[in-house]
Amino acid sequence: MAGDSEAKCLRADLIKSGKYSDLTITCKWRVFKVHKIIVCPRSSFFAKACDGNFLESLTNNIELRDDDISTVERMLCFLYTGNYHDEGQDPSSDVVPIDVEQIIKMDVQPSVNASLILVTLSAASQRHTPPNPREKITVDANTLLNNVSVYAIADKYDVPELKELAICKFKTRCVGHWNDDVITTIAKAVYESTPANDRALRDQMVRICHIYAYRINKYLPFRSLLSENGEIALELLDVTLASLKRRDTFLSQVAELMKWQRNRLRSSEGG
């Protein structure tokens, strides 16, 4: 809609220019000039910092000391435009390649993408069919890491809509061939940045590990990761056992069907 597009353009211009800003967010050497009316309604963390009896409400400055600059900018970009660019270098880099004008042109359909990815992964897991080794499209580790970092910061500062978008982008980026080092890197990042009761990224990642288990179990860095992180090993075991149970149930059903078919043939021959 034209009105919504114009509003996004206006908000994008505000985050770029900092005009009429009434709040600053400081992350390391970077200072973001933002607007309370935009960031507070979408984040209870920022709302409480500005409304409560805290130093931030007096100084109108919030310091995010432990976060990386590019992830903070992606979060703010979402607060202003409803989207963020997930491509680029490692999220720990201080160089921020985000183009806000490009962001507002992006058309995201999370529900469609998420459903497609879940169906694809589920089918692949149940068939026990290894991915085609000739497939040339390889997932990008930095892009996946960007989405993991955005998901974590959205949880940290209570931006639920951003969490939903981050998991949808993550699932979309999962399509393709996974190298052993990428699986190990992303699995480590997911399990280190999310609590055990937050299943969205973890369930997705353990499915990936299961799909490639025929190969990844021989990769020494991944084996080391399993030794260091018992949660990954246990959850991968649970998924594998569930898959074997489904296979046994299927084989049992096939055997019953064949038995019924043989009895039917004997009956018809006897008649």
Side-chain angles (χ1 to χ4, degrees):
M1 293 183 291
D4 185 55
S5 179
E6 290 177 2
K8 284 185 178 181
C9 288
L10 177 60
R11 291 195 297 271
D13 183 63
L14 288 175
I15 187 64
K16 288 176 65 177
S17 66
K19 194 173 183 179
Y20 307 120
S21 169
D22 55 1
L23 176 68
T24 58
I25 294 176
T26 305
C27 180
K28 298 181 175 66
W29 53 267
R30 188 74 183 272
V31 177
F32 300 94
K33 295 182 178 181
V34 300
H35 307 79
K36 295 178 183 179
I37 195 172
I38 293 178
V39 301
C40 292
R42 307 187 81 170
S43 166
S44 64
F45 173 86
F46 293 123
K48 290 176 182 176
C50 293
D51 296 339
N53 295 320
F54 302 107
L55 179 62
E56 290 83 355
S57 64
L58 299 175
T59 62
N60 288 319
N61 178 66
I62 298 175
E63 291 192 28
L64 308 181
R65 297 185 181 90
D66 300 326
D67 302 298
D68 59 83
I69 296 173
S70 60
T71 305
V72 170
E73 180 154 3
R74 286 186 172 91
M75 174 180 65
L76 294 177
C77 188
F78 171 81
L79 294 177
Y80 276 78
T81 69
N83 207 342
Y84 68 90
H85 203 298
D86 61 350
E87 294 179 344
Q89 72 289 333
D90 188 295
S92 62
S93 170
D94 284 342
V95 180
V96 185
I98 299 174
D99 185 341
V100 178
E101 292 180 355
Q102 284 295 107
I103 292 295
I104 62 177
K105 297 177 183 177
M106 296 170 65
D107 181 20
V108 179
Q109 296 177 309
S111 59
V112 175
N113 291 333
S115 299
L116 175 62
I117 303 306
L118 287 173
V119 169
T120 302
L121 289 175
S122 177
S125 176
Q126 292 179 18
R127 289 198 308 269
H128 297 280
T129 302
N132 187 348
R134 293 176 294 179
E135 187 176 345
K136 300 300 181 182
I137 301 176
T138 302
V139 298
D140 182 72
N142 285 338
T143 300
L144 288 166
L145 284 173
N146 288 337
N147 288 313
V148 172
S149 297
V150 169
Y151 185 88
I153 203 171
D155 181 67
K156 182 178 182 179
Y157 297 118
D158 193 22
V159 190
E161 293 176 343
L162 180 55
K163 284 186 69 175
E164 293 179 8
L165 180 59
I167 186 61
C168 286
K169 283 179 176 282
F170 182 88
K171 289 176 179 177
T172 302
R173 298 296 188 179
C174 282
V175 175
H177 181 72
W178 286 68
N179 295 327
D180 294 346
D181 59 329
V182 175
I183 294 175
T184 306
T185 298
I186 303 304
K188 186 175 187 294
V190 166
Y191 277 80
E192 286 183 349
S193 63
T194 59
N197 62 346
D198 192 335
R199 302 306 316 168
L201 283 179
R202 290 187 172 213
D203 287 346
Q204 184 71 16
M205 198 61 230
V206 80
R207 289 190 191 102
I208 295 293
C209 293
H210 172 65
I211 290 172
Y212 286 88
Y214 72 99
R215 188 194 72 208
I216 194 69
N217 69 316
K218 301 175 183 178
Y219 186 57
L220 291 180
F222 184 76
R223 294 177 69 88
S224 297
L225 177 63
L226 294 184
S227 298
E228 296 167 3
N229 193 315
E231 286 183 294
I232 304 178
L234 181 60
E235 291 175 13
L236 181 56
L237 177 62
D238 287 341
V239 171
T240 302
L241 291 176
S243 178
L244 290 174
K245 185 177 180 180
R246 288 195 300 269
R247 187 197 65 177
D248 291 343
T249 300
F250 173 74
L251 292 176
S252 176
Q253 292 173 343
V254 170
E256 288 294 325
L257 179 61
M258 293 177 65
K259 181 180 179 181
W260 175 82
Q261 191 74 2
R262 284 195 300 268
N263 291 336
R264 185 183 178 188
L265 287 173
R266 288 171 184 170
S267 298
S268 62
E269 290 172 358

